[in-house]
Amino acid sequence: MRSTLFALAAAGLFATAAHAAPAQYAIDPTHTFATFEIDHFGASTNRARFDKKSGQVEFDKAGKTGKVEVTLDMTSVNSGTAAFDKHLKGKDIFNTDQYPVSKFVSDKFVFDGDKLKEVTGQLTLNGQTHPITIKSNKFTCYESPMLKREVCGGDFEATIDRTQWGVNYGVDWGFSKNVRLVLQMEAVKQ
């Protein structure tokens, strides 16, 4: 009887330990895009993306928990216009000579039932770190027929006040403080 109880207790511990171990995923840069949008005098919207990005995801589907760490190479900003890219990299905006990377590190996945609602964390930009909340527009995991591995990903967005990170260029002229971040991300199970 004692050995049966011990075996059941041990099985329970192993099952809990297996459940507690989240899966590790690597960001797929070919299916991950980080773009931003900012109003330009109410007449149009300036948009650009970052072509170089990397990161990893830790995700426990059953426990509905996870962590994300994404690094953007700020020198890879691409608006489609070389002169604007040069300005974005300059001291007035991203100051890429001094701060060549930006990083988002999550601290919490928030679920509404089985649906990922948002991811909260810290954004480091221009040498300053502040909290942001990224809303999930869609999120799922699927078995990739090409990779023969699980892939998790979705579309996300957030609006930030850029002046929190010291990006004040043009505010006195009427440029918006608010910047919309649009993120599409897929990560491959390792």
Side-chain angles (χ1 to χ4, degrees):
M1 177 78 166
R2 256 186 175 186
S3 62
T4 303
L5 288 175
F6 179 77
L8 288 172
L13 281 174
F14 285 118
T16 301
H19 170 71
Q24 303 297 318
Y25 299 78
I27 288 178
D28 176 359
T30 64
H31 290 94
T32 299
F33 301 94
T35 60
F36 69 88
E37 303 174 350
I38 186 167
D39 180 77
H40 190 253
F41 290 112
S44 62
T45 303
N46 286 332
R47 293 180 175 92
R49 70 175 190 224
F50 298 94
D51 289 335
K52 295 179 184 174
K53 58 271 174 189
S54 62
Q56 56 276 337
V57 177
E58 190 177 280
F59 183 48
D60 178 354
K61 281 192 273 186
K64 297 180 183 175
T65 61
K67 295 179 185 175
V68 176
E69 185 173 307
V70 179
T71 301
L72 300 176
D73 179 342
M74 301 302 283
T75 67
S76 74
V77 68
N78 181 353
S79 67
T81 305
F84 187 40
D85 294 347
K86 183 177 179 182
H87 183 68
L88 289 169
K89 293 176 194 178
K91 289 184 181 182
D92 287 339
I93 302 181
F94 293 134
N95 195 6
T96 61
D97 285 344
Q98 190 169 356
Y99 305 109
V101 298
S102 176
K103 186 177 277 196
F104 173 73
V105 179
S106 73
D107 53 26
K108 187 176 181 184
F109 282 24
V110 178
F111 279 82
D112 181 5
D114 288 334
K115 183 181 176 189
L116 179 61
K117 183 178 171 184
E118 61 189 30
V119 178
T120 63
Q122 302 288 319
L123 175 64
T124 301
L125 175 68
N126 283 354
Q128 298 183 41
T129 302
H130 299 286
I132 67 169
T133 298
I134 299 174
K135 177 185 167 198
S136 172
N137 294 322
K138 64 180 172 180
F139 176 83
T140 194
C141 295
Y142 66 94
E143 189 67 27
S144 169
M146 292 183 290
L147 300 174
K148 308 293 186 219
R149 288 191 274 170
E150 182 181 57
V151 175
C152 293
D155 285 352
F156 306 88
E157 67 178 86
T159 299
I160 63 169
D161 176 346
R162 63 189 172 99
T163 62
Q164 284 187 286
W165 288 269
V167 183
N168 300 315
Y169 179 79
V171 171
D172 293 341
W173 302 338
F175 287 175
S176 177
K177 292 180 184 182
N178 292 332
V179 176
R180 181 173 178 245
L181 307 177
V182 181
L183 313 161
Q184 296 87 38
M185 181 188 304
E186 292 194 19
V188 181
K189 191 172 185 179
Q190 301 301 293

